[in-house]
Amino acid sequence: MSYPTRQLYYAGKHQPATSNKIFQTVDPATSKSLGDVQQAAPSDIDSAIASAQEAFPVWSTMSPMERSRILLKAVALLRERNDALATVETHDTGKPFTETSTVDVVTGADVLEYYAALIASGGLDGETTRLRPDAWVYTTKNALGVCAGIGAWNYPIQIALWKSAPCLAAGNCMVYKPSEFTPLHANLLAEVYTEAGVPPGVFNVVHGAGDVGAYLTSHPSIAKVSFTGQVSTGSKVAASAAGGMKYVTMELGGKSPLVILPDCEVENAVDGAMMANFFSTGQVCTNGTRVFVPRSMLPDFEKVLLSKMPNVRSGDVFAPSTNFGPLVSKVHYEKVLAYIRHGIDSDKAKLIHGGADPASPKGANSAGFWVQPTVFTNCTDSMKITREEIFGPVMCILPYDDVEEAVTRANDTPMGLAAGVFTKDVNAAHKVVERLQAGITWVNTWGESPAEMPVGGWKLSGVGVENGRKGLEAWVKNKSTLVEMGGIVGTVFSKL
């Protein structure tokens, strides 16, 4: 499969890059090229930002209802083209079509629909306060201007929509840079917005690697940076943005704890742990890779887990039975295998499933970036595989003796993106969740992030939230106005 060369997209149309540089995007399932992508030069980024600046006065002064109608047309187009867009996502990310067709485009469209409905129903309204009989205060929410969105490679179109939906709904314009590993979706989304009636320049796309992102996010005309990626890169982006006093939203990595309480049914505990580790081949920032299991439950937990591991089915990524794909790129493949080898050779963790041996799924191209779903048990908190984010299908089981101990150990991490509890006792679940240091928490489930739910990390895992009502607040600046109606201007400089 090959795709036409991807150009840049600004001023409402595809534009050739002037850098004379291209890079290729690769199908992770086959390691073969999917097509060429033109890399933006600094002057191209300047042009994209200029087109957004030109569009901002038009888009931001439209009524929320007008913007809502246009964005809802984009929602309809996304849903209509769901399978075609999901096919592109499967080729570009390696994720099974069973996943991209039911999650990636769907959840992105959900968020766009949510914000379109929210602004149409007063989501951008301010507040009015009667201060005293002859004075009152009112607030307004104002668009920020031209914003930068930096996407990640694990959920390309979903993340692009999670960023652009509230951005555009609030009246801003966006220059979006997708990951260089999964760039194919970006121009297609831009075309959808244009077809729906979004004015030229409101949503723009520039392609490239970190240098393109750095130029974009540090540009003096950018009012806000929304970034999704690893902690180390996010720290640099946030520091650069802070120097320019830009607004920021940072959705970064995690090393999330999944705490199984002693009363939990083993079957439910195992199903939850598998969803938290092997969905999307473990390439999910919120994955619960540190699984805390009561020591008394450990033998049964391992037994049931091993009996269910055959249900993790790799193979032809377009086959209806496949639910586990390859890793996204060769560099990431090598990184994950290095962690697995370290777990075996240096951490001396007990390997009970998978490992670093090459995987050759039936019906799939063995040249793809395939790994085995891997499980280590009897892990300790000091091991590298339990402390660092692997971002792959590697589960670390950590036995514990009492719940107090489990909570303390669960919080012993510089990251705080997600956490979860599995139990039959809802009261106990609330008490444990309240003490877990994470911005996203689940009880008896894992991974769902609906449009209505604000999500964001604590500690090094991020700044701000995406989605929900609070997610819209991240894309506006507030103005407060005090109006005096008494007819006399108060002063302390009166004649004595």
Side-chain angles (χ1 to χ4, degrees):
M1 181 67 189
S2 62
Y3 287 89
T5 297
R6 288 297 195 263
Q7 296 182 318
L8 314 180
Y9 195 101
Y10 58 88
K13 60 185 178 180
H14 300 280
Q15 307 270 7
T18 62
S19 67
N20 295 318
K21 295 179 181 178
I22 62 168
F23 60 94
Q24 292 187 327
T25 184
V26 173
D27 184 345
T30 65
S31 76
K32 294 180 179 179
S33 173
L34 290 166
D36 294 334
V37 182
Q38 294 183 356
Q39 179 175 310
S43 59
D44 298 325
I45 302 170
D46 292 340
S47 295
I49 292 173
S51 75
Q53 289 176 310
E54 185 176 348
F56 178 70
V58 176
W59 183 245
S60 62
T61 55
M62 280 187 185
S63 70
M65 188 67 76
E66 289 177 294
R67 290 200 300 271
S68 175
R69 292 191 188 106
I70 292 171
L71 296 179
L72 287 173
K73 289 179 183 177
V75 172
L77 291 171
L78 288 167
R79 299 206 191 285
E80 179 184 307
R81 299 171 189 176
N82 180 84
D83 286 1
L85 292 168
T87 297
V88 174
E89 291 290 86
T90 290
H91 282 140
D92 217 13
T93 65
K95 293 198 286 187
F97 184 73
T98 55
E99 180 181 338
T100 59
S101 62
T102 58
V103 176
D104 296 47
V105 187
V106 173
T107 55
D110 284 348
V111 169
L112 184 58
E113 185 172 24
Y114 174 83
Y115 283 116
L118 182 59
I119 62 170
S121 57
L124 291 172
D125 290 349
E127 299 175 347
T128 302
T129 302
R130 180 80 176 273
L131 192 63
R132 50 184 178 268
D134 54 1
W136 54 291
V137 172
Y138 68 90
T139 65
T140 56
K141 301 180 190 298
N142 302 269
L144 299 173
V146 180
C147 304
I150 308 294
W153 48 253
N154 58 333
Y155 280 87
I157 196 166
Q158 182 209 66
I159 291 173
L161 283 159
W162 279 24
K163 294 185 184 307
S164 62
C167 175
L168 271 56
N172 302 295
C173 298
M174 174 169 276
V175 180
Y176 171 69
K177 188 198 86 68
S179 166
E180 66 272 26
F181 292 108
T182 54
L184 292 179
H185 67 287
N187 290 52
L188 299 177
L189 177 58
E191 290 173 354
V192 165
Y193 276 136
T194 298
E195 188 173 339
V198 172
V202 172
F203 182 78
N204 311 278
V205 176
V206 294
H207 292 290
D211 56 335
V212 171
Y215 185 88
L216 172 62
T217 57
S218 63
H219 199 286
S221 297
I222 293 296
K224 170 174 176 161
V225 177
S226 178
F227 173 86
T228 298
Q230 61 184 11
V231 173
S232 59
T233 307
S235 298
K236 295 174 184 176
V237 173
S240 172
M245 293 299 175
K246 303 179 193 298
Y247 290 75
V248 295
T249 300
M250 296 281 138
E251 201 281 287
L252 308 178
K255 194 66 180 177
S256 302
L258 184 158
V259 181
I260 297 165
L261 298 190
D263 71 319
C264 185
E265 294 180 5
V266 176
E267 194 91 6
N268 288 338
V270 168
D271 286 342
M274 291 179 71
M275 281 296 293
N277 280 271
F278 304 131
F279 187 76
S280 212
T281 319
Q283 299 172 123
V284 185
C285 53
T286 55
N287 266 6
T289 54
R290 295 186 295 143
V291 181
F292 289 89
V293 179
R295 199 175 302 276
S296 60
M297 186 192 293
L298 187 60
D300 289 340
F301 181 89
E302 292 176 358
K303 180 180 178 181
V304 175
L305 175 61
L306 291 175
S307 73
K308 288 177 174 280
M309 288 304 293
N311 296 336
V312 182
R313 297 179 297 272
S314 55
D316 177 1
V317 290
F318 285 96
S321 61
T322 299
N323 57 18
F324 186 85
L327 293 174
V328 74
S329 66
K330 184 176 181 180
V331 64
H332 190 56
Y333 168 80
E334 292 173 347
K335 172 188 171 184
V336 172
L337 288 184
Y339 271 109
I340 295 173
R341 293 189 192 102
H342 191 280
I344 298 169
D345 300 333
S346 301
D347 287 333
K348 304 296 183 183
K350 183 180 178 182
L351 178 70
I352 60 173
H353 192 277
D357 292 337
S360 299
K362 184 178 180 181
N365 189 322
S366 60
F369 309 127
W370 298 94
V371 295
Q372 300 181 69
T374 297
V375 181
F376 289 104
T377 191
N378 285 319
C379 296
T380 65
D381 298 330
S382 62
M383 291 177 177
K384 182 176 181 178
I385 57 172
T386 60
R387 296 207 64 81
E388 297 184 11
E389 185 178 34
I390 300 173
F391 219 69
V394 183
M395 181 191 299
C396 293
I397 301 173
L398 298 103
Y400 73 89
D401 294 307
D402 64 75
V403 176
E404 181 71 24
E405 169 207 341
V407 172
T408 300
R409 292 168 60 193
N411 289 334
D412 183 20
T413 171
M415 292 176 275
L417 185 58
V421 181
F422 285 79
T423 176
K424 289 188 288 187
D425 186 342
V426 177
N427 288 333
H430 286 306
K431 291 177 181 178
V432 172
V433 161
E434 183 180 12
R435 296 175 59 200
L436 292 174
Q437 297 169 0
I440 309 166
T441 54
W442 293 285
V443 174
N444 294 330
T445 186
W446 198 279
E448 185 178 5
S449 296
E452 299 86 350
M453 179 181 180
V455 292
W458 288 9
K459 304 182 188 178
L460 293 181
S461 288
V463 176
V465 300
E466 295 182 313
N467 297 348
R469 287 180 174 269
K470 290 189 177 298
L472 188 61
E473 287 294 320
W475 295 93
V476 297
K477 52 189 176 186
N478 288 276
K479 178 182 287 187
S480 296
T481 303
L482 194 157
V483 180
E484 174 60 56
M485 302 183 296
I488 298 174
V489 178
T491 178
V492 298
F493 303 107
S494 58
K495 184 176 181 181
L496 293 176

